[in-house]
Amino acid sequence: MSIREQNLSEIRDAVAKLCAAFPMEYWRGTDRERRYPTEFVRALTEAGWLSCLIPEEYGGAGLPLAAAAAILEEIQRSGANGAACHAQMYTMGTVLRHCSEAQKKKYLPKIAKGELRLQAFGITEPSAGTDTSSIRTTATKKGGHYVINGQKVWTSRAEHSDLMLLLARTAPREELQKKTDGLSVFIVEMKAALGRGLTIRPIRTMINHATTEIFIDNLEVPAENLVGEEGKGFRYLLDGMNAERILIGAECIGDAKWFLAKATDYANERKVFGRPIGQNQGVQFPIARAYMATEAAALMVERAAALYDAGKPCGPESNMAKQLAAEASWQSGDMCLQTHGGFGFAEEYDVERKFRETRLYQIAPISTNLVLCYLAEHVLGLPRSY
């Protein structure tokens, strides 16, 4: 066991104990009813886990990203779904590094206490997709505020968040040398904005992800809610994106470990033709391969988190961590479903729910193909493909 794992073992045990109070019946119910797991999120908040990255001076625990990764991994490993609240961790990548002291003092203590939730990150748009530089949402400064117009999609947890980080264009793309210039990040106070230029519409999906589309019509945001410098938002976004990819990678590792444990237990218990199905190599080998993939991906997640916590560049590692972990969780999920056979499709076994949930991470927060394009260009030096 590494020194890092030893330091995190108490955190893992405590999170696992909290999750045990929310059995699989709870998660089946929230999934069936498409209900937000309010009780679970409240318990995590009260235990201080969602404020783990917030510095102690603002009421948080001041833990490194590696600790947040351990928390989310354990949540997924328990059979729960951390997607209901993980944004409060990965948004800290942008907030802690780029918000002003005044903004931190205003919001972070209340977030740490649970009085405010920062669960929404408005980036993606219907016409832009993952081409973030092509977003059309605009923010025009008028006196002491900005007037924002546009639309966002796949903005998860918007209905359950008090604050949102919003990306908008403050300078026309065609007037700039670099297409990533002219983008700015704003803190939007959601409750005050609803009905006053902000409209939220839920999107029903194959998983209970509380995702929405957002319509913005002449929304006034105080100039003091601009994060950092105007036009530098894309760079600020990257810190949040790297943190997000590492944390999503950790969640995928947790999913994979849940699938592995579930499949192993079932293969040992289930008897066909007078013997455990796990005695057959046709069942053993897929489980063993999924285990190897999971252990390898976990090392990349750990490496990426260590680089992030050390303040070093970690773009390639963050992308690889997310992708390798997502592939390992999907491989493990597919294996687990196959091991269970027809019972894997039954709600009471929980495999089909987790199977659906972990599939998301093949396309979010960044698709497989874009990870490969990024590595090909920025690491391997191949010509830009897009």
Side-chain angles (χ1 to χ4, degrees):
M1 182 182 290
S2 69
I3 293 175
R4 188 186 74 83
E5 284 295 316
Q6 289 175 348
N7 291 339
L8 296 177
S9 61
E10 290 184 8
I11 290 176
R12 291 180 182 277
D13 290 344
V15 173
K17 184 177 179 180
L18 184 152
C19 291
F22 296 87
M24 292 300 96
E25 290 83 357
Y26 174 82
W27 294 102
R28 285 177 216 144
T30 57
D31 181 66
R32 190 184 308 120
E33 300 162 15
R34 298 301 170 106
R35 178 168 55 85
Y36 187 74
T38 301
E39 304 85 359
F40 179 69
V41 175
R42 184 184 300 121
L44 286 173
T45 302
E46 291 174 353
W49 298 124
L50 293 189
S51 60
C52 68
L53 296 176
I54 296 176
E56 293 181 80
E57 62 190 285
Y58 304 111
L63 297 176
L65 192 73
I71 292 166
L72 290 174
E73 180 185 319
E74 288 303 315
I75 290 173
Q76 301 300 116
R77 189 176 186 174
S78 76
N81 188 357
C85 49
H86 59 195
Q88 195 145 302
M89 294 185 182
Y90 67 69
T91 50
M92 290 298 125
T94 298
V95 171
L96 296 179
R97 295 187 176 187
H98 303 293
C99 277
S100 67
E101 185 60 29
Q103 289 169 337
K104 292 177 185 177
K105 286 181 177 178
K106 180 178 180 180
Y107 295 115
L108 289 181
K110 292 183 179 180
I111 293 173
K113 290 178 183 177
E115 295 175 7
L116 291 176
R117 285 181 183 168
L118 172 54
Q119 292 286 7
F121 211 162
I123 302 174
T124 309
E125 298 185 5
S127 61
T130 49
D131 183 8
T132 304
S133 64
S134 294
I135 65 168
R136 297 180 180 178
T137 297
T138 60
T140 306
K141 191 171 185 181
K142 293 186 176 180
H145 61 266
Y146 285 85
V147 177
I148 303 179
N149 286 281
Q151 181 183 356
K152 298 293 179 180
V153 72
W154 310 125
T155 306
S156 300
R157 300 160 301 273
E159 293 180 292
H160 305 280
S161 185
D162 299 292
L163 303 172
M164 172 175 64
L165 292 184
L166 178 70
L167 186 71
R169 183 162 284 286
T170 46
R173 178 177 172 175
E174 58 273 13
E175 295 179 6
L176 302 166
Q177 246 182 347
K178 287 182 66 178
K179 62 181 183 180
T180 53
D181 286 343
L183 297 170
S184 301
V185 175
F186 298 88
I187 299 172
V188 177
E189 297 184 2
M190 304 282 279
K191 299 296 187 288
L194 279 174
R196 296 181 175 85
L198 186 73
T199 303
I200 301 173
R201 182 181 300 168
I203 302 174
R204 188 174 176 87
T205 63
M206 68 183 284
I207 58 176
N208 181 30
H209 203 66
T211 197
T212 70
E213 56 184 337
I214 294 177
F215 301 90
I216 307 167
D217 183 21
N218 290 325
L219 173 66
E220 294 188 1
V221 174
E224 64 193 38
N225 283 27
L226 171 70
V227 174
E229 294 181 49
E230 185 179 294
K232 305 293 184 183
F234 187 80
R235 180 165 59 86
Y236 304 157
L237 200 63
L238 292 180
D239 283 324
M241 286 181 169
N242 284 335
E244 179 184 36
R245 289 165 194 178
I246 294 168
L247 294 177
I248 293 296
E251 289 186 82
C252 289
I253 297 300
D255 277 345
K257 289 181 177 179
W258 185 90
F259 286 124
L260 285 163
K262 190 82 170 175
T264 300
D265 288 346
Y266 187 79
N268 277 318
E269 296 167 1
R270 175 69 167 162
K271 291 184 178 180
V272 180
F273 299 116
R275 68 186 204 170
I277 63 173
Q279 191 173 341
N280 302 310
Q281 291 179 345
V283 174
Q284 289 180 352
F285 288 2
I287 298 176
R289 287 186 177 278
Y291 174 78
M292 286 193 293
T294 299
E295 290 297 299
L299 290 174
M300 182 55 74
V301 173
E302 181 175 341
R303 179 182 175 186
L307 288 171
Y308 187 94
D309 285 332
K312 296 179 180 179
C314 60
E317 290 79 10
S318 299
N319 278 283
M320 288 188 288
K322 179 268 172 186
Q323 188 58 41
L324 291 172
E327 289 177 352
S329 68
W330 179 243
Q331 180 182 348
S332 299
D334 188 56
M335 170 277 297
C336 187
L337 186 61
Q338 192 71 21
T339 301
H340 281 75
F343 289 111
F345 289 85
E347 183 187 70
E348 65 182 286
Y349 281 78
D350 302 298
V351 176
E352 60 86 25
R353 172 180 62 84
K354 293 286 282 185
F355 182 80
R356 286 183 282 113
E357 289 171 354
T358 210
R359 180 58 178 85
L360 171 65
Y361 299 120
Q362 293 288 309
I363 58 172
I366 182 173
S367 72
T368 299
N369 288 345
L370 279 181
V371 170
L372 297 176
C373 287
Y374 173 84
L375 294 172
E377 178 188 351
H378 296 283
V379 178
L380 300 174
L382 294 171
R384 185 182 181 92
S385 63
Y386 64 93

